[in-house]
Structure formats: structure tokens, C-alpha cells
Amino acid sequence: MRIATWNVNSLKARLAKLEEWVSYAEPDVVCLQETKMSDEAFPTAAFAALGYESAHHGNGRWNGVAILSRVGLDQARAGFLGEPPGAIEQCRILTASCGGVRVASVYVPNGRAVGSEQYDFKLAWLRRLRDDLAATTTPDDAVVVCGDFNVAPEDRDVWDISQFLGATHVSEPERAALRELEVWGLVDAFRAVYPDADRLYTWWDYRAGDFHNGRGMRIDLVLVSRALAGGVRYALVDREARKGMGSDKPPSDHAPLFVDIDL
DNA sequence: ATGGTAGCGCTGCTA
């Protein structure tokens, strides 16, 4: 199974690019974040034309997550278990069963500034994600959690850690919350494939030429359950897809990441 | 140098 994750920063603005990318990358499952779209506007037919079933969870203006699958898609659930969709989770998690794998597309809150109300919300949201996983699955099940975690797991996952003093995405509480997912039984698939590779990022700020100057962060992750970790055989961040489709069409600020897993 | 860009949507927020 080839499973991908991509924060598209508006699905409306990026639909053509996504269609192009899906056609050549040929993922079996795609998890999208920041669709910034309502469920009514979601282009179900466009994905069906490419051979993908799909599910979406969004309110329109902010956030919004989706799953595309060409290996079946059922038992879709928007939001956390036992909570009204859109309530606490803010259209940031969608879960579905695809080809025998329980897949979650997550968009973890940004956190804005360390110590802020939004930062505390981010930490609580990550704990809620762990509790949701623990309540609905086990690490011995086939589980994949994909998305924009807005946390760089280690110092080597940012372009220059000295530039991040006191910043979000690298603080110890955020990293500890991410590690709690690993303690439960998830494995960072990209890091499993590239245990020694540094300076491989998934996000670059639009400003100041950061992409072309190599100033990025690895914050988009594919986490696989212990049951699947042994089958992970390949992973790639497609930097080409971060280059857009010409001067009139800016790219997303994130590149897609995909992982190939032998099930 | 406290900047810079993008999306949504029309004012300023979010990232």
C-alpha cells in the first residue's frame, strides 16, 4: 500500500495540482489537510473520475481534512469518538478503513506561541488523539495516522535549531506529546526508512525564499502501528510538488510525503 | 531589519 499525506493549504486552490500529483504518484490512499472547504463544496466527482472513493470533514473557512482511497473506503468517522463532529476537534481529524487499514488524517493545531491558550489546546488535542487511538484500536491492528502534526520530532528535523529558541513546533512538551503516540505503539515511518538523513523537510515558509534556501521543517508525518512497521519499505517527500504549476499558481507550503508498506 | 507570502474574503485572522 502506498499511503500519502499532504497539507494542500486550500483544496480549491490546489485541486488541479493534486489531480496531477495523484496521477503520477499513484497512491492507494491520500490523507489531505487544510482543505479550507465545506463538505458541500468537496469535489467528490473529480476524485471518483481518478478512481478514488473519498470522505471529507470540513466547515469551510479553516482546517478541513479528507481521505481518498482506491482500495476501498468505509466506516468513515469525522471527529473524535463520542464527540459531536467539529466540536472540540475543529474539523481536524477524519478516520476511515481503507483496504484493511484504519487510516486517520489529522491536522494538529498550530499552537501559535508557547504558553498561549492555543498552545495548551494543541497539547490537549494531541492527548485527545492518543486517547482516541487507545479507545478504538490497538498497536497490533493495522493503523496509520497521517498528517500535519505541527511538531518537529527532533532538532535535526528543522533547518537551524538555534533559530527556534522558545518557538512552537520544537518545544519539549510538544515533542513529549508526540512521543506519547510512539509509546502507545506508533512508529515514524519516514525516520524508519531514513534513520540517518538530516535536512529532509516537508514544510517551508512561503516568505523570504525559505524553500529555495533549504530552510524548512519536517512536521508532516506518517505514523504506522507496530503491526505494520516491519512492512515499511520506502518513503519519499516529493519536493517537486512544492514547486507549483507556474508563476500564476503558487504551490502549497507543504510537500506531499508518501510511504510504501507491505501489508 | 521584528520583515517576508499565501488563502479566505472583504476585515483581519490563521498559518
Side-chain angles (χ1 to χ4, degrees):
Chain A
M1 173 180 281
R2 171 166 291 179
I3 183 162
T5 185
W6 197 1
N7 179 323
V8 292
N9 186 20
S10 167
L11 180 54
K12 183 182 175 190
R14 234 64 71 186
L15 179 59
K17 182 73 186 177
L18 175 62
E19 290 174 315
E20 176 195 66
W21 187 79
V22 163
S23 295
Y24 73 74
E26 299 196 326
D28 295 303
V29 176
V30 185
C31 293
L32 303 174
Q33 300 86 37
E34 279 209 88
T35 63
K36 298 185 177 179
M37 187 174 271
S38 67
D39 290 338
E40 293 72 30
F42 186 74
T44 305
F47 297 128
L50 295 173
Y52 290 81
E53 296 177 74
S54 57
H56 180 253
H57 176 41
N59 283 336
R61 187 158 186 189
W62 289 302
N63 311 331
V65 286
I67 298 174
L68 319 179
S69 172
R70 65 176 188 183
V71 292
L73 192 161
D74 43 42
Q75 294 179 290
R77 171 165 60 87
F80 289 126
L81 186 69
E83 289 179 0
I88 292 171
E89 51 84 35
Q90 300 179 336
C91 299
R92 293 176 182 274
I93 180 169
L94 175 68
T95 310
S97 297
C98 305
V101 177
R102 193 66 181 158
V103 175
S105 179
V106 304
Y107 177 44
V108 177
N110 176 283
R112 197 168 303 181
V114 173
S116 68
E117 182 181 331
Q118 292 83 359
Y119 178 82
D120 292 338
F121 178 73
K122 178 181 192 174
L123 297 178
W125 200 95
L126 281 164
R127 288 192 294 270
R128 188 72 183 78
L129 173 60
R130 196 270 315 269
D131 292 346
D132 196 77
L133 282 169
T136 55
T137 64
T138 81
D140 297 320
D141 299 327
V143 179
V144 181
V145 183
C146 295
D148 177 358
F149 284 79
N150 272 315
V151 179
E154 301 176 84
D155 287 355
R156 61 178 170 152
D157 293 315
V158 303
W159 63 279
D160 182 357
I161 193 62
S162 73
Q163 301 294 313
F164 288 82
L165 210 59
T168 58
H169 297 61
V170 301
S171 77
E172 183 49 33
E174 289 166 272
R175 287 175 170 174
L178 186 61
R179 282 198 301 273
E180 281 300 309
L181 297 173
E182 297 173 345
V183 168
W184 176 78
L186 295 177
V187 174
D188 182 340
F190 180 90
R191 190 49 81 197
V193 174
Y194 302 103
D196 301 316
D198 299 339
R199 303 183 63 79
L200 294 173
Y201 312 126
T202 64
W203 174 86
W204 301 259
D205 197 297
Y206 281 121
R207 297 166 290 189
D210 276 8
F211 177 70
H212 297 285
N213 290 307
R215 295 190 290 260
M217 307 176 75
R218 190 174 73 90
I219 57 176
D220 298 270
L221 307 174
V222 172
L223 304 181
V224 306
S225 58
R226 282 200 297 260
L228 297 180
V232 172
R233 61 179 164 84
Y234 186 67
L236 185 76
V237 177
D238 186 359
R239 289 173 49 90
E240 290 302 310
R242 175 62 174 74
K243 293 178 181 173
M245 300 178 76
S247 56
D248 58 327
K249 293 252 184 191
S252 170
D253 45 353
H254 296 252
L257 160 68
F258 68 78
V259 174
D260 291 341
I261 308 170
D262 293 324
L263 299 177

